[in-house]
Amino acid sequence: MLFWYPKDFTFVCPTELHAFQEAAAEFEKRNTILIGASCDTNEVHFAWLNTAKDNGGIEGVEYPILADTNRNLSSVLGILDVQEVEHPEYGTLAQGSAVTYRATYLIDETGRVFHESVNDMPLGRNVKEYLRLIDAYAHVQKFGEVCPANWEEGKDAMNADRKGVADYLAKH
């Protein structure tokens, strides 16, 4: 799981990084590696990691945090809040904050992205939803069934055909 956040030392970001850390054991049970990412530098990440939680820091976060300081990866992914605008006197200028939106990528063992979501900057993620999506994908891989809306581990899935959906809907 690769998740991007706008900036270190901000407001919603530390709540998410701590929430992912609190759920780290659940991700590990699902054989999922957590990686955070932003456009801040390694040095800023280090300072934030050494700032106490009760002072807005992420001390105690143990998963790796990527520093996309040149913004190449975030640009290729299309998750950077920046637009080029033409200025009559100065030519092409950048407009926007030049930081990333809250993008999340769930990537399987073959490198295939099986889930991608992007939140605007003020909207924090629900960590439990990513665990649910990982569970659903594992169920699909293991049993060949599809997972209907609001599916959770232990609930009914269905066959991906007309009879499967009819049977499922008849029960629910």
Side-chain angles (χ1 to χ4, degrees):
M1 176 177 177
L2 173 62
F3 70 95
W4 293 79
Y5 61 92
K7 287 171 46 174
D8 297 359
F9 292 102
T10 56
F11 315 106
V12 176
C13 298
T15 67
E16 291 189 315
L17 275 79
H18 284 295
F20 282 117
Q21 182 60 49
E22 289 166 12
E26 290 300 317
F27 284 100
E28 191 174 324
K29 282 184 202 173
R30 291 161 174 84
N31 199 30
T32 301
I33 299 166
L34 289 173
I35 302 172
S38 82
C39 296
D40 286 313
T41 65
N42 293 337
E43 294 80 10
V44 174
H45 289 337
F46 183 75
W48 202 29
L49 282 161
N50 286 291
T51 301
K53 184 178 181 179
D54 63 0
N55 199 24
I58 59 167
E59 186 176 52
V61 167
E62 296 177 354
Y63 51 82
I65 301 174
L66 181 106
D68 184 31
T69 56
N70 60 18
R71 291 165 169 72
N72 285 338
L73 183 53
S74 52
S75 293
V76 167
L77 293 171
I79 59 170
L80 196 60
D81 177 34
V82 67
Q83 303 82 36
E84 289 184 353
V85 293
E86 290 299 320
H87 188 278
E89 187 176 343
Y90 302 111
T92 304
L93 300 175
Q95 182 178 350
S97 64
V99 299
T100 64
Y101 296 103
R102 294 182 195 288
T104 309
Y105 301 91
L106 296 177
I107 307 161
D108 73 11
E109 59 279 356
T110 69
R112 180 178 172 272
V113 174
F114 66 89
H115 174 81
E116 173 183 359
S117 62
V118 180
N119 292 10
D120 197 2
M121 292 174 211
L123 306 175
R125 286 168 270 227
N126 182 336
V127 173
K128 290 179 183 176
E129 174 62 4
Y130 296 104
L131 292 168
R132 186 194 74 81
L133 289 166
I134 293 165
D135 289 344
Y137 191 69
H139 184 91
V140 169
Q141 289 179 310
K142 184 174 181 179
F143 298 105
E145 296 176 312
V146 294
C147 298
N150 300 318
W151 182 91
E152 292 175 343
E153 187 67 44
K155 288 189 174 181
D156 291 339
M158 61 187 179
N159 291 323
D161 57 31
R162 293 178 64 89
K163 182 173 176 359
V165 71
D167 291 346
Y168 178 86
L169 292 173
K171 286 189 206 175
H172 300 87

